[in-house]
Amino acid sequence: MSLQAFFETPAQRAEKEDLPLLRALIARYAEERPFGGARIATSHILVRNSLVVVEALVAGGAEVLLCDAFRSPVAEALWAELADFDVPVLPAVEAAEAADLFLDVNAVLGRMRTPRAAAEVTRTGVYHYEKIPCPVISADDCRAKRIEGFFGTGEAFLRAWRQLRPEVPLDGKRVLQFGYGKIGRGVAHQTRKAGLAVTVADVGPAARAHAEQDGFATLAALPNPALERALKAADIVIAVTGRPGVLGASLAADWLRAGGAVLVNLGAEDEYGPAFSDDEVLGGKGVPLNFHLAQPTLNRYVDAPLAAHVLALEALVINPDAYDVGVHPLPVEMDQWLLSEWRRNWPDEDLTGIGDELGLE
């Protein structure tokens, strides 16, 4: 038994069919073998769509090391299935020590050991990699990643809430959302579309101005009476700033607890900090809420970002001399291919609010 046998299971084949961009990479890599001889550790949460990413790396000739970087009931069920195929899921530190290239999420592996090179897919991870002395390409900075941020994370929040709190309808709930970056903007748009009343809190005047232009009430995300009142009135508080521990560090914990709001973390890392216990945050504060879903982001929204992550590693491997120590963007031609292919496969997706940013009609 092997990873290759796992890839041929009916469930995994069906997952691949729903990911046309990754499927195209698998076909090309099987011919070109860009990762031949490489040992690549990935810290993606192990769900079915991320294992199609692994299939792409294997098709390209890599030896891939899976690890337990992100724990959730969904991931642990798949670990058991992988064990039936004699595929090990290593402790993250062991995978980091054994690999020379990282396909990293939240710099989990990079904070354990400095690799020869790494591809990172989250903003939080980029903050960490800015201090790690190796070449890194950030898939977080490409336009294709905005597809997931604008459509996927907000939609996933709604599904995760309905899975974990099925008895509590969302319609009309008052949401105070911290953060209006690439992902926060999408979360606010998707939750408003679902009937929630959303107020945005951000430390940045430009972000607040953007939110106001998009029709949201805004507050400065700093201690002030208006923010304290909004926290008391909120039904749900969402953290999506990309900054570890920021809410607990900048606001009194009592303010966040005062109204009994449900606390939600959608960041790649705990944004509430040590002042809050794990059971005070819906689903736990250690992983984003959507990681409780069998499909943390719908495939139509995550296909392009996952493919971007793989392409980032390909760029480092095929042209290593072009990248010195530091964080670099995904090559423009790769980003454009992702956008064009995504639109070709999903021509009917409503691009209101994001079409101009993507350069798509």
Side-chain angles (χ1 to χ4, degrees):
M1 304 285 271
S2 64
L3 260 176
Q4 195 59 54
F6 173 83
F7 297 150
E8 296 304 317
T9 59
Q12 204 58 30
R13 287 168 66 93
E15 192 77 14
K16 183 169 63 175
E17 283 303 306
D18 200 29
L19 293 159
L21 278 69
L22 281 172
R23 202 166 64 242
L25 293 185
I26 290 169
R28 176 164 68 84
Y29 289 166
E31 294 184 3
E32 298 177 3
R33 308 284 285 180
F35 303 114
R39 300 191 84 194
I40 301 172
T42 174
S43 61
H44 272 283
I45 185 172
L46 297 181
V47 292
R48 294 204 179 275
N49 56 27
S50 68
L51 283 158
V52 179
V53 170
V54 174
E55 184 174 355
L57 299 174
V58 171
E63 177 188 354
V64 182
L65 306 176
L66 309 181
C67 75
D68 61 356
F70 294 100
R71 307 183 73 93
S72 79
V74 172
E76 290 177 13
L78 203 53
W79 297 353
E81 187 175 337
L82 288 164
D84 291 339
F85 287 83
D86 297 323
V87 176
V89 177
L90 304 174
V93 67
E94 187 175 329
E97 288 296 331
D100 52 11
L101 299 171
F102 295 166
L103 192 78
D104 217 348
V105 178
N106 196 30
V108 167
L109 300 170
R111 283 182 277 167
M112 295 177 177
R113 173 177 165 268
T114 301
R116 175 160 61 88
E120 172 58 52
V121 74
T122 68
R123 173 53 42 192
T124 306
V126 168
Y127 293 144
H128 289 295
Y129 269 111
E130 287 172 347
K131 303 171 187 175
I132 298 171
C134 69
V136 180
I137 290 183
S138 167
D140 179 70
D141 294 324
C142 71
R143 287 182 296 159
K145 177 71 186 297
R146 298 179 190 179
I147 295 167
E148 177 187 8
F150 189 82
F151 297 107
T153 306
E155 188 280 335
F157 159 71
L158 299 171
R159 283 188 294 125
W161 179 280
R162 290 163 185 152
Q163 176 175 302
L164 297 176
R165 292 284 178 93
E167 75 285 358
V168 182
L170 280 168
D171 189 49
K173 286 284 187 290
R174 293 163 296 185
V175 174
L176 182 58
Q177 176 181 307
F178 286 86
Y180 202 72
K182 293 192 299 291
I183 296 176
R185 182 177 169 222
V187 170
H189 277 260
Q190 300 308 314
T191 50
R192 180 173 63 184
K193 188 184 296 185
L196 287 78
V198 182
T199 297
V200 171
D202 200 291
V203 293
R208 294 197 301 273
H210 194 174
E212 289 167 7
Q213 290 170 4
D214 290 340
F216 295 99
T218 68
L219 292 165
L222 300 167
N224 64 78
L227 183 61
E228 184 179 13
R229 289 193 297 271
L231 284 165
K232 287 180 180 178
D235 299 304
I236 302 169
V237 172
I238 296 177
V240 61
T241 69
R243 298 284 187 176
V246 66
L247 267 68
S250 58
L251 298 172
D254 288 348
W255 282 25
L256 287 155
R257 296 186 179 109
V262 178
L263 306 183
V264 172
N265 179 46
L266 289 178
E269 200 166 309
D270 168 25
E271 297 193 11
Y272 287 92
F276 293 85
S277 64
D278 204 48
D279 59 8
E280 288 185 275
V281 179
L282 182 63
K285 63 178 187 168
V287 297
L289 184 66
N290 57 313
F291 277 22
H292 288 271
L293 297 166
Q295 199 171 70
T297 305
L298 293 181
N299 282 341
R300 68 188 298 156
Y301 303 134
V302 81
D303 191 17
L306 289 177
H309 203 189
V310 178
L311 286 171
L313 201 60
E314 179 191 353
L316 288 162
V317 167
I318 65 174
N319 196 9
D321 293 339
Y323 300 101
D324 54 9
V325 170
V327 178
H328 305 270
L330 185 73
V332 172
E333 63 274 14
M334 289 180 167
D335 196 10
Q336 188 57 51
W337 177 83
L338 291 164
L339 291 167
S340 299
E341 284 298 295
W342 181 78
R343 192 55 171 165
R344 185 175 68 82
N345 281 280
W346 286 286
D348 298 326
E349 189 70 50
D350 180 6
L351 298 181
T352 301
I354 189 120
D356 288 346
E357 287 182 33
L358 298 179
L360 298 173
E361 296 181 356

